């Protein structure tokens, strides 16, 4: 691409100091030049974009004189399409109804940018057929083969969004609200109500370096569809697509697919564009091919339903069975005792854990089309055509000074895991530890430590403490870990700094007893708080626990 075309592309941001392409720094939320380090604020970029748009609209209006384009409106599905005069088809390619002429197209209805078709209709049809034959055993492949007569090429309407977005993140089984944000710098959202935006999103990315200011010559003889959804619907689609972009990173950080993302957009700048797409649209089928790169995405409306907690239920049950089998040396005994934790785990894991429903979209890998002479070649692979705009969200928390800063979250650092192991051991074997200390403190000269010392007699406490620890480690540990994360502020030099006080991340099995951990009101929580709230009954249970503990200690000492 020559330098003039680069300068005409409003999506490319250049350093005002040295002229090199500038990239967006999502941590600092600004544009910066990798060459000289010059920073260009978001406001400066938006100002330049506004100037470009004003000039482009004047040029478009000047070139619109004498254009004989007609707009046709479908009476059934509402699709608005544009054809050259005399070339309009008699039926709607989106629902099959008759088209009627509405009026001559107006320049203000046309987009500001366009990416031209690179793949010819014959090449596109051949590629789609090859894909369908490779996937003919799937409902998607069969549906494509049955509807290839409806395969069409269109310039479809999109809105290109640029601006800040933020999100509240909630994880299954926890009460904490997390925050993350990002900056849209190349998110294209289809604005046709007849087509599935998630399927169209799956055939991206486009190569935005080839985006050009719109001219009527690009659509001569081509099918063009106009936008037919409201601004509110457009914003909703933008947020849905951002959620899909955010989802992989949020699931990675939260270590589960059981997350709820609630998005809010800031001051988004949107720009109408036309993008090249080959597609098939029926009642149940949406099959799309990127007309620039050749990437394919197909959906028949199928959904994948899953319950992530079922795997955790199985793994914890298996772990309990193996532990009990090792302790008792008998697999049948281990299986028999495991039946109770199996039921308990099922109840615990199913609470506050819903069913996930995700649409099924079959797609090829990212693609890039190149032409050598008249021969088309399409290369596929994850690294073939990366989206140059990083929409990965950044998590943020307040630091010790109360400022909202970018952070890394960690839930199971090594120190925490060692602490959990030690405190679990102490909780379960507390009578034996107390008895050992008393035995050592009162042991007379010449006595052996093990004389009269019988730790096996602490079984009453061991059983209770083991059940408490087992339930906590299976459910409560995960809830506590994600409610009390280790928060590391990301500093400008790339280093990290641990923020928050020790109570904000305190996590041991002893927190079950309300020891050392505070709730949001600064009060201890856990078993002690629960017993206190129970009044006289709580005191009775507390006395019972204390009696069992002291009785177990006495039995061990003999």
């Amino acid at each position: 691409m020559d330098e003039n075309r680069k300068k005409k592309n409003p999506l490319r941001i250049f350093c005002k100091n040295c002229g090199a392409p500038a990239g967006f720094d999502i941590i600092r939320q600004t544009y910066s030049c990798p060459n000289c380090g010059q920073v260009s604020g978001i406001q400066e970029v938006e100002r330049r974009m506004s100037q470009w748009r004003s000039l482009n609209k004047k040029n478009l209006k000047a070139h619109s004189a004498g254009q004989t384009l007609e707009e046709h409106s479908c009476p059934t599905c509402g699709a608005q399409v544009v054809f050259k005069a005399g070339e309009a088809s008699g039926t709607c390619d989106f629902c099959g109804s008759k088209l009627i002429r509405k009026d001559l197209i107006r320049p203000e209805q046309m987009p500001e940018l366009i990416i031209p078709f690179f793949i010819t209709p014959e090449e596109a049809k051949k590629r789609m057929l090859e894909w369908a034959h490779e996937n003919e055993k799937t409902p998607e492949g069969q549906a494509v083969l049955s509807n290839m007569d409806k395969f069409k090429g269109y310039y479809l309407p999109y809105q290109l969004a640029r601006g800040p977005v933020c999100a509240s993140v909630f994880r299954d089984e926890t009460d904490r609200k997390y925050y993350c944000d990002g900056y849209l710098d190349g998110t294209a959202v289809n604005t046709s109500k007849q087509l599935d935006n998630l399927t169209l999103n799956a055939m991206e990315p486009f190569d935005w370096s080839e985006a050009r200011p719109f001219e009527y010559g690009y659509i001569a003889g081509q099918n063009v569809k106009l936008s037919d959804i409201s601004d509110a619907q457009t914003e909703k689609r933008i947020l849905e697509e951002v959620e899909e972009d955010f989802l992989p990173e949020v699931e990675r950080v939260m270590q589960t697919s059981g997350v709820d993302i609630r998005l809010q957009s800031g001051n988004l700048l949107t720009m109408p564009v036309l993008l090249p797409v080959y597609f098939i649209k029926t009642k149940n089928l949406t099959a799309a091919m990127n007309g620039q790169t050749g990437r394919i995405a197909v959906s028949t409306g199928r959904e994948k339903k899953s319950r992530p907690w079922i795997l955790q239920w199985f793994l914890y049950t298996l772990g309990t069975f193996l532990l009990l089998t090792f302790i008792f040396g008998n697999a049948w005994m281990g299986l028999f005792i495991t039946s109770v934790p199996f039921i308990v785990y099922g109840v615990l894991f199913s609470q506050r854990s819903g069913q996930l429903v995700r649409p099924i979209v079959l797609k090829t890998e990212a693609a890039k089309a190149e032409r050598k002479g008249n021969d088309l070649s399409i290369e596929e692979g994850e690294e073939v055509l990366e989206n140059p705009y990083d929409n990965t969200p950044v998590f943020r928390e307040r630091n010790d000074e109360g400022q909202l800063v970018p952070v890394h979250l960690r839930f199971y650092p090594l120190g925490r895991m060692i602490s959990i192991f030690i405190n679990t051991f102490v909780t379960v074997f507390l009578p034996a530890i107390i008895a050992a200390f008393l035995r050592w403190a009162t042991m007379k000269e010449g006595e052996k430590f093990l004389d009269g010392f019988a730790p096996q007699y602490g079984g009453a406490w061991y059983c209770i403490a083991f059940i408490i620890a087992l339930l906590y480690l299976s459910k409560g540990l995960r809830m506590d870990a994600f409610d009390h994360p280790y928060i590391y502020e990301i500093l400008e030099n790339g280093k990290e700094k641990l923020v928050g006080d020790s109570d904000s991340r305190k996590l041991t099995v002893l927190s079950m007893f309300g020891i050392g951990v505070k709730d949001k009101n600064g009060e201890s929580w856990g078993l002690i708080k629960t017993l206190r709230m129970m009044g006289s009954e709580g005191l009775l249970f507390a006395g019972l626990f204390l009696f069992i503990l002291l009785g177990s200690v006495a039995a061990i000492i003999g």
Side-chain angles (χ1 to χ4, degrees):
M1 187 168 62
D2 57 41
E3 289 300 319
N4 287 334
R5 188 185 300 173
K6 285 183 181 180
K7 296 297 183 182
K8 289 181 180 180
N9 188 337
L11 304 180
R12 300 293 298 274
I13 307 301
F14 295 91
C15 176
K16 58 186 179 182
N17 182 44
C18 69
F24 188 76
D25 184 342
I26 193 170
I27 299 294
R28 293 191 290 171
Q29 291 285 292
T30 188
Y31 288 88
S32 62
C33 176
N35 186 40
C36 68
Q38 176 70 40
V39 173
S40 300
I42 296 175
Q43 293 76 14
E44 170 67 17
V45 173
E46 291 177 348
R47 184 186 65 81
R48 290 168 56 188
M49 176 73 76
S50 178
Q51 292 177 344
W52 180 92
R53 297 181 77 172
S54 298
L55 180 61
N56 191 58
K57 286 182 178 180
K58 291 180 181 179
N59 293 336
L60 184 60
K61 189 173 183 179
H63 287 87
S64 65
Q67 295 294 330
T68 54
L69 297 174
E70 297 179 359
E71 180 182 347
H72 294 258
S73 177
C74 175
T76 301
C77 71
Q80 293 182 318
V81 294
V82 176
F83 303 96
K84 280 188 70 175
E87 291 186 0
S89 65
T91 58
C92 175
D93 291 320
F94 299 89
C95 71
S97 300
K98 291 290 184 181
L99 290 174
I100 56 175
R101 175 176 174 175
K102 185 175 180 182
D103 52 26
L104 291 179
I105 195 71
R106 297 183 295 275
E108 59 268 21
Q109 293 176 293
M110 300 310 290
E112 299 179 42
L113 288 176
I114 188 171
I115 291 181
F117 274 99
F118 187 80
I119 300 172
T120 67
E122 294 77 17
E123 293 167 337
K125 185 174 183 179
K126 178 182 177 183
R127 178 170 172 79
M128 182 63 83
L129 278 171
E130 291 175 349
W131 180 91
H133 285 299
E134 292 174 358
N135 296 271
E136 59 184 352
K137 293 184 179 180
T138 66
E140 290 76 11
Q142 295 172 8
V144 169
L145 289 173
S146 301
N147 293 280
M148 278 303 298
D149 58 316
K150 300 180 178 67
F151 190 69
K152 297 280 185 179
Y154 260 84
Y155 278 112
L156 294 183
Y158 280 75
Q159 284 286 344
L160 188 66
R162 169 174 281 167
V165 289
C166 61
S168 299
V169 175
F170 300 86
R171 188 188 191 277
D172 282 353
E173 307 174 315
T174 62
D175 295 318
R176 186 186 180 95
K177 185 194 313 186
Y178 293 90
Y179 297 94
C180 63
D181 59 27
Y183 185 82
L184 305 187
D185 202 9
T187 296
V189 178
N190 182 265
T191 55
S192 171
K193 66 182 179 182
Q194 296 82 13
L195 295 174
D196 174 15
N197 184 60
L198 291 179
T199 303
L200 293 178
N201 183 45
M203 67 166 193
E204 297 181 23
F206 287 88
D207 183 357
W208 287 101
S209 66
E210 293 297 323
R212 306 172 189 179
F214 173 78
E215 296 178 7
Y216 285 99
Y218 289 120
I219 64 173
Q222 299 281 0
N223 299 328
V224 181
K225 189 179 184 305
L226 299 179
S227 173
D228 51 15
I229 65 175
S230 66
D231 292 343
Q233 291 172 314
T234 299
E235 182 173 357
K236 180 181 178 182
R237 285 193 172 189
I238 290 174
L239 294 181
E240 288 175 348
E241 188 158 325
V242 172
E243 181 176 338
E244 288 296 309
D245 289 341
F246 275 21
L247 196 58
E249 177 66 10
V250 170
E251 289 181 343
R252 185 191 69 80
V253 174
M254 294 290 105
Q255 301 178 21
T256 181
S257 56
V259 294
D260 179 21
I261 304 175
R262 301 177 189 177
L263 282 151
Q264 289 183 327
S265 61
N267 185 23
L268 290 180
L269 178 68
T270 59
M271 175 182 293
V273 299
L274 286 180
L275 299 180
V277 179
Y278 292 99
F279 70 89
I280 303 171
K281 180 69 179 78
T282 66
K283 182 179 180 180
N284 298 318
L285 171 67
T286 301
M289 178 190 297
N290 190 313
Q292 181 197 34
T293 68
R295 190 177 194 183
I296 294 172
V298 183
S299 171
T300 57
R302 291 196 298 149
E303 294 178 333
K304 180 181 179 181
K305 300 179 181 179
S306 63
R307 297 181 184 271
W309 58 269
I310 290 180
L311 178 60
Q312 297 171 335
W313 181 13
F314 170 77
L315 292 177
Y316 274 91
T317 302
L318 177 62
T320 302
F321 165 70
L322 295 176
L323 176 62
L324 293 174
T325 299
F326 174 77
I327 292 174
F328 291 100
N330 187 310
W332 289 108
M333 180 63 73
L335 184 62
F336 174 75
I337 301 178
T338 302
S339 61
V340 175
F342 174 78
I343 297 173
V344 174
Y345 290 151
V347 174
L348 288 175
F349 285 124
S350 61
Q351 290 178 342
R352 303 173 66 185
S353 300
Q355 176 177 260
L356 295 179
V357 180
R358 299 279 168 81
I360 296 176
V361 180
L362 301 188
K363 59 185 178 181
T364 61
E365 294 190 61
K368 184 175 183 180
E370 295 180 341
R371 198 178 297 280
K372 297 180 180 179
N374 294 325
D375 296 329
L376 177 73
S377 64
I378 297 179
E379 184 180 358
E380 294 184 7
E382 293 183 1
E383 309 297 328
V384 168
L385 181 61
E386 295 183 0
N387 192 334
Y389 307 111
D390 185 6
N391 293 338
T392 303
V394 171
F395 279 81
R396 296 184 187 272
E397 295 281 346
R398 296 200 179 278
N399 62 10
D400 298 333
E401 288 75 38
Q403 300 171 327
L404 203 60
V405 296
V407 298
H408 282 154
L409 302 172
R410 293 182 176 85
F411 305 101
Y412 299 109
L414 180 60
R416 168 172 283 181
M417 298 307 296
I418 293 174
S419 173
I420 290 170
F421 175 80
I422 293 174
N423 283 281
T424 302
F425 181 87
V426 170
T427 300
V428 174
F429 296 101
L430 185 58
I433 295 173
I434 296 175
F437 174 78
L438 294 175
R439 175 64 177 161
W440 173 78
T442 61
M443 193 170 57
K444 297 179 180 179
E445 186 176 352
E447 286 186 324
K448 294 183 178 179
F449 181 81
L450 295 179
D451 288 345
F453 187 77
Q456 66 271 22
Y457 290 156
W461 174 268
Y462 299 156
C463 290
I464 294 176
F466 178 76
I467 292 173
I468 292 175
L470 192 64
L471 296 179
Y472 178 72
L473 293 175
S474 63
K475 183 74 171 180
L477 171 60
R478 189 167 56 260
M479 294 173 64
D480 278 353
F482 285 91
D483 279 340
H484 303 87
Y486 276 62
I487 301 173
Y488 294 86
E489 179 183 352
I490 303 174
L491 305 177
E492 290 190 5
N493 59 9
K495 295 183 178 181
E496 297 180 351
K497 172 188 175 184
L498 183 64
V499 299
D501 56 31
S502 58
D503 279 351
S504 69
R505 53 183 174 268
K506 191 128 185 179
L507 172 60
T508 72
V509 177
L510 295 180
S511 68
M512 288 284 294
F513 301 92
I515 298 175
V517 182
K518 308 292 183 182
D519 63 13
K520 61 183 179 181
N521 297 318
E523 298 180 2
S524 295
W525 60 271
L527 188 59
I528 288 180
K529 181 179 179 181
T530 302
L531 293 175
R532 190 169 66 247
M533 293 174 63
M534 292 173 64
S536 58
E537 293 181 355
L539 290 175
L540 179 62
F541 277 106
L544 179 61
F545 280 126
L546 183 60
F547 175 78
I548 294 174
L549 175 61
L550 295 179
S552 297
V553 172
I556 292 173
I557 295 177

